[in-house]
Amino acid sequence: MSHRPSPESPRKPMGPDGPPEDTRKPMGPPRSPDTARKPVGPPGRHQLALMIWIAVFPTLTVLNLTLGPWLTGTGTVLRTFVLATIAVPIVIYGLMPRLNRLRAHLLTRRAT
């Protein structure tokens, strides 16, 4: 079974000098080397601990205040399970990406 390129994106044949030159234009205004953002590395151990604390503490506080009346009759393990089941996705998928973007913004702003 051979793979044919779709008509929407025909492949250009390889020339004697190698693959064809990429003629796509970059989106957005051109950046000079001085204004180009340099990638920010991953957070260190202490920065990550602080970011997690900043995300987890308010989340658990709000969940306890909100769900506390409904969970008063439950045992400690069930209450913890319910809170963790709700808090972990909020922190991992909602708050941590935003904190990472904020951290990158602050570090690149400080570098310029």
Side-chain angles (χ1 to χ4, degrees):
M1 183 184 222
S2 66
H3 174 67
R4 288 190 201 160
S6 66
E8 295 86 28
S9 61
R11 292 186 184 205
K12 296 180 183 175
M14 174 117 38
D17 299 331
E21 186 176 322
D22 188 9
T23 58
R24 294 179 292 176
K25 294 181 181 178
M27 295 178 62
R31 289 187 173 178
S32 69
D34 297 336
T35 60
R37 290 191 181 192
K38 294 174 179 60
V40 176
R45 182 184 312 174
H46 301 297
Q47 284 181 347
L48 186 59
L50 179 63
M51 289 168 59
I52 291 171
W53 188 87
I54 288 171
V56 168
F57 180 74
T59 303
L60 287 178
T61 302
V62 168
L63 287 175
N64 270 315
L65 291 172
T66 306
L67 301 177
W70 291 309
L71 297 173
T72 53
T74 62
T76 304
V77 174
L78 181 60
R79 180 184 179 104
T80 304
F81 177 77
V82 169
L83 292 175
T85 302
I86 297 169
V88 167
I90 290 171
V91 169
I92 297 299
Y93 299 114
L95 298 177
M96 287 304 290
R98 291 179 183 169
L99 285 173
N100 275 318
R101 283 193 298 271
L102 176 63
R103 176 185 165 272
H105 175 74
L106 291 174
L107 290 176
T108 55
R109 190 180 75 180
R110 181 184 293 175
T112 57

